[in-house]
Amino acid sequence: MKQVFQSLSTGEISLIEKPLPSPKKGQVLIKSSLSLLSAGTERSLVDFGKSNLIQKALKQPDKVKEVIDKTRTDGLMSTFNSVQSKLDEPLPLGYCNVGTIIKLGEGVKKLKVGQRVVSNGYHAEFVSVSENLCAVLSDDIKDSQAVFTVLGSIGLQGIRLLNPTFGETILVSGLGIIGILSAQILKSNGCRVIALDPDKQKCKLAQDLGIDCLNLNENSDAEKWCQNYTNNVGVDGVLITASTKSSDPIDLAAKVSRIRGRIVLVGVTGLEIRRDLFYKKELTFQISCSYGPGRYDPNYEELGNDYPIGFVRWTQQRNFEAIIHSFSTGMLKTESLISNYFQLDQVKKAYKYLLENYSSLGIILKYPEKCNLEKNSIILNNSNNFKKLKTKKPVVSFIGAGNYAQKVLIPSFFKANAKLNIISSQNGTGPVF
């Protein structure tokens, strides 16, 4: 099967042939039909990959501290080799996937073979995903709608933390996919919604959906605009969905908020908070974590232990289901958010389009209908085919291709001229050297 990877060292996008993954306990194997490029996240990853080492260090100051600490304990060359090895490791991309379940792992109870589902799977022909990270699609929902579910859930989780009530005025700062979907959710919740963005085309899309917008490039006095809209009271809450290195969105959110207003950060911005702005109004500020409760919890995501609905009403899977229901009722509209379609084999063109068209929103990858379901292995080197292998040199096979195997063991045997026979890996991603 084919899967999309990025080199963190160069930023290059590659479509790599790899074995079909096997669903672990609690997972399902999904044959992909569509996946969505996340404009904010994936554009920033590609930009990071294309930057030089100094620029990478400036973008990741916390990682620089780790490197300095490692240098003190392990030495300069060992640290340099570790950093270079990490940058050379291919990074799988994507987390907005729609497809059909073709196989169940042990212990899966809620899902069945043949069901169409949305998941946070990679850009790949087949993905193996935890049962709790999937949600079933009804027949009335198109794949082109469902592919926006994960991004919609990210916005929905931020809204749940913001806790808006009927009639409140909420500002959405940033009109990417998550921002526009969030604005629609807030409006459906009975809120008065206003929005800000520097991109004229994105403002136009939001206005066509009934959202009052201010183009920051045409009107720099956003504070006055927000105050006029609220009769100088200030907005009740701000949902920041922007992606920028600057802390300006947080400063502006504080300035336009009413006393004891709420600010929730869903996007990625600078985090230099001015105490005077927050102190005088007793503002609250919170950062939202992805799709909702359960995210990054191995008990939920890997072991499949759900949170009791009486204690945690909205898990990430239930947020998926809520977004899917809003597609079914027509509450959320996604047609205008689709900028372009590309076939999987055109993935490099898709990322080029993403980088060259800043106003682009939904870029969708389409997957071939027919795929080889039997091919669960690939031959890395024909001369190492174990059926024909005749050599006096040591022959080595590996079960597992984790970090230590990839960075230490396998390169060491390779440099020692050992013949590498078979490498078996759970997810099919092997070493690159």
Side-chain angles (χ1 to χ4, degrees), residues 11-31:
E12 182 181 358
I13 301 298
S14 301
L15 191 60
I16 296 177
E17 185 78 29
K18 56 168 283 189
L20 199 70
S22 298
K24 294 189 290 186
K25 183 177 180 180
Q27 292 186 337
V28 295
L29 183 63
I30 301 168
K31 180 183 180 298

Side-chain angles (χ1 to χ4, degrees), residues 20 50 54 85 102 123 161 182 207 217 222 225 249 285 290 310 369 421:
L20 199 70
K50 291 181 179 294
I54 294 176
S85 175
I102 61 170
H123 298 314
L161 295 178
S182 298
Q207 287 171 338
N217 279 335
W225 182 77
F285 175 73
S290 200
E369 292 185 9
N421 186 11

Side-chain angles (χ1 to χ4, degrees), residues 68-87:
I68 293 173
D69 292 341
K70 184 175 176 62
T71 302
R72 289 171 179 164
T73 57
D74 297 356
L76 180 60
M77 286 307 300
S78 175
T79 302
F80 177 81
N81 290 335
S82 296
V83 171
Q84 195 61 51
S85 175
K86 189 66 178 177
L87 291 175

Side-chain angles (χ1 to χ4, degrees), residues 113-399:
V113 170
Q115 288 180 319
R116 274 194 319 136
V117 293
V118 62
S119 77
N120 73 334
Y122 298 128
H123 298 314
E125 289 182 297
F126 298 89
V127 294
S128 186
V129 181
S130 166
E131 183 178 23
N132 281 344
L133 286 166
C134 299
V136 178
L137 299 170
S138 55
D139 293 338
D140 62 324
I141 297 176
K142 301 177 182 177
D143 286 353
S144 57
Q145 292 175 295
V147 79
F148 288 91
T149 299
V150 174
L151 293 183
S153 298
I154 294 173
L156 178 58
Q157 173 60 15
I159 292 170
R160 295 202 190 284
L161 295 178
L162 194 63
N163 194 26
T165 58
F166 188 91
E168 284 192 315
T169 300
I170 307 296
L171 170 66
V172 176
S173 179
L175 288 172
I177 296 175
I178 295 176
I180 293 178
L181 290 174
S182 298
Q184 292 183 70
I185 296 170
L186 286 163
K187 188 176 180 183
S188 298
N189 198 50
C191 297
R192 301 177 66 201
V193 185
I194 56 177
L196 305 170
D197 197 275
D199 189 283
K200 182 178 181 180
Q201 185 173 334
K202 292 175 181 176
C203 287
K204 177 65 166 56
L205 283 173
Q207 287 171 338
D208 290 344
L209 293 168
I211 309 299
D212 291 328
C213 298
L214 177 70
N215 184 341
L216 293 173
N217 279 335
E218 294 180 356
N219 187 336
S220 58
D221 200 346
E223 183 179 356
K224 182 179 179 181
W225 182 77
C226 291
Q227 294 295 346
N228 288 340
Y229 194 92
T230 59
N231 294 321
N232 294 317
V233 172
V235 298
D236 297 287
V238 182
L239 189 72
I240 302 176
T241 56
S243 178
T244 176
K245 299 175 185 177
S246 170
S247 299
D248 289 348
I250 295 180
D251 286 349
L252 178 60
K255 291 176 181 177
V256 303
S257 293
R258 63 165 171 82
I259 294 174
R260 294 192 174 183
R262 296 101 64 198
I263 302 170
V264 172
L265 175 62
V266 172
V268 180
T269 70
L271 288 174
E272 295 180 7
I273 295 177
R274 289 176 52 184
R275 182 180 183 276
D276 60 318
L277 295 177
F278 281 74
Y279 173 77
K280 293 176 182 177
K281 295 181 180 180
E282 290 189 330
L283 301 176
T284 61
F285 175 73
Q286 189 169 3
I287 298 177
S288 176
C289 178
S290 200
Y291 336 126
R295 188 65 176 129
Y296 306 118
D297 178 358
N299 286 312
Y300 179 91
E301 294 191 339
E302 297 173 17
L303 300 181
N305 297 319
D306 200 0
Y307 299 157
I309 195 169
F311 295 92
V312 183
R313 176 61 182 92
W314 295 109
T315 60
Q316 54 186 347
Q317 186 181 58
R318 292 170 195 143
N319 277 340
F320 284 0
E321 292 168 349
I323 293 295
I324 290 170
H325 178 71
S326 70
F327 292 144
S328 181
T329 60
M331 184 188 302
L332 280 183
K333 302 184 185 303
T334 61
E335 294 86 351
S336 61
L337 302 183
I338 300 174
S339 298
N340 212 333
Y341 286 92
F342 291 90
Q343 298 294 330
L344 179 62
D345 289 338
Q346 299 175 306
V347 65
K348 290 188 177 182
K349 290 183 179 179
Y351 278 89
K352 183 180 180 182
Y353 181 89
L354 172 68
L355 295 177
E356 293 179 352
N357 296 271
Y358 186 80
S359 296
S360 63
L361 290 171
I363 300 173
I364 295 177
L365 292 179
K366 300 173 71 174
Y367 293 81
E369 292 185 9
K370 295 183 179 180
C371 300
N372 186 357
L373 297 177
E374 304 299 326
K375 192 172 182 180
N376 60 3
S377 64
I378 58 174
I379 298 174
L380 299 177
N381 186 337
N382 286 327
S383 66
N384 281 353
N385 189 321
F386 73 95
K387 292 182 179 179
K388 302 177 181 179
L389 194 60
K390 294 180 180 180
T391 178
K392 294 181 179 180
K393 295 180 179 180
V395 178
V396 182
S397 295
F398 286 84
I399 298 176

